[in-house]
Amino acid sequence: MVESIEEETWELRLYVAGQTPKSVAALTNLRRYCEEHLKGRYKLEVVDLLLNPQLAEGDQILAIPTLVRKVPEPIRKIIGDLSNEERVLVGLDVRPALRK
């Protein structure tokens, strides 16, 4: 049986370069969206390219911060501080959680 996207664990990777304001904002925004819309259904890996620059090549990272959705496929990328929630959710193909 194939898992539906609703039940699948999302694998996200955020590429940053140290603790720049944009990198910190991207991580803060991403965590908030994940907790609100993917609670209990996501894995988030943060890759600091100042510590591991070689990791940028694998996902073809050209700008930072960059968010990469590995699973569910297809792979998607969003560049920037992720401050526009609607754009991030559309870019990741996340259906917004129903607000109470």
Side-chain angles (χ1 to χ4, degrees):
M1 185 174 138
V2 175
E3 277 188 277
S4 76
I5 285 182
E6 298 300 318
E7 298 165 5
E8 195 164 19
T9 298
W10 292 58
E11 292 182 22
L12 306 171
R13 185 176 293 160
L14 180 64
Y15 288 90
V16 297
Q19 295 291 309
T20 65
K22 271 193 168 183
S23 294
V24 171
L27 183 56
T28 301
N29 291 329
L30 180 58
R31 282 191 170 136
R32 188 174 76 245
Y33 305 151
C34 286
E35 281 302 303
E36 189 172 328
H37 302 287
L38 298 171
K39 191 165 185 72
R41 299 185 294 128
Y42 72 95
K43 290 183 203 164
L44 175 57
E45 177 184 5
V46 179
V47 177
D48 188 336
L49 294 178
L50 292 181
L51 303 175
N52 299 297
Q54 71 281 5
L55 296 178
E57 198 174 313
D59 280 323
Q60 298 174 331
I61 302 304
L62 303 174
I64 48 167
T66 295
L67 173 61
V68 178
R69 182 187 81 181
K70 304 291 253 177
V71 175
E73 291 189 329
I75 291 174
R76 291 181 176 229
K77 295 179 188 175
I78 300 174
I79 297 170
D81 66 6
L82 311 179
S83 58
N84 183 331
E85 182 175 2
E86 183 179 353
R87 189 177 141 239
V88 173
L89 295 179
V90 168
L92 291 177
D93 197 23
V94 171
R95 286 161 193 77
L98 296 173
R99 298 183 191 260
K100 294 176 183 165

